[in-house]
Amino acid sequence: QVQVVESGGGLVQPGGSLKLSCAASGYIFSTYSMSWYRQAPGSQRELVATIITRGGDTIYGDSVKGRFTISRDTAKKMVYLQMDSLEPEDTGVYYCTAFIVGRGNSWGPGTQVTVSS
């Protein structure tokens, strides 16, 4: 029902910044929230940030709180993840998801973020 595609990943030095974008398409009216997840090599997938469609409340994973900011542009059907003060531990594939109550997440293909000197 909803498709999402991430962009904006790349290689950045520690302490640098990146802004990821997520473009949503399809039937998005029933979307409860949009989230960013990430998966480091050999690690489990973890929640990075969530924004609730109704009201715009945000939730952040403990490891990124204070450094990352999730935002949205409803008219453009876009969700963003501003990442500041990046650390090597932030390296991984970042996924955008659209959550629909009763159906779960619709996942994007992911975009690679590498933080390295």
Side-chain angles (χ1 to χ4, degrees):
Q1 292 182 317
V2 178
Q3 294 80 45
V4 292
V5 178
E6 308 90 341
S7 63
L11 175 64
V12 64
Q13 293 183 331
S17 297
L18 280 176
K19 187 174 184 178
L20 305 183
S21 298
C22 173
S25 62
Y27 187 76
I28 65 172
F29 304 105
S30 60
T31 299
Y32 176 77
S33 62
M34 300 289 292
S35 298
W36 289 94
Y37 287 79
R38 69 185 182 187
Q39 186 168 20
S43 300
Q44 298 293 318
R45 180 188 65 206
E46 66 173 337
L47 176 67
V48 176
T50 294
I51 185 165
I52 309 299
T53 301
R54 186 177 182 87
D57 290 343
T58 57
I59 304 168
Y60 294 94
D62 289 340
S63 63
V64 306
K65 194 171 298 182
R67 299 188 297 120
F68 291 9
T69 304
I70 187 171
S71 62
R72 65 182 178 184
D73 187 329
T74 303
K76 295 181 178 180
K77 300 180 181 180
M78 298 289 291
V79 178
Y80 306 98
L81 183 68
Q82 177 66 47
M83 305 185 294
D84 299 319
S85 302
L86 284 162
E87 305 168 352
E89 292 75 19
D90 295 317
T91 294
V93 179
Y94 283 68
Y95 299 94
C96 179
T97 68
F99 179 74
I100 301 174
V101 175
R103 301 200 64 84
N105 286 316
S106 180
W107 296 86
T111 185
Q112 176 71 42
V113 173
T114 302
V115 184
S116 176
S117 300

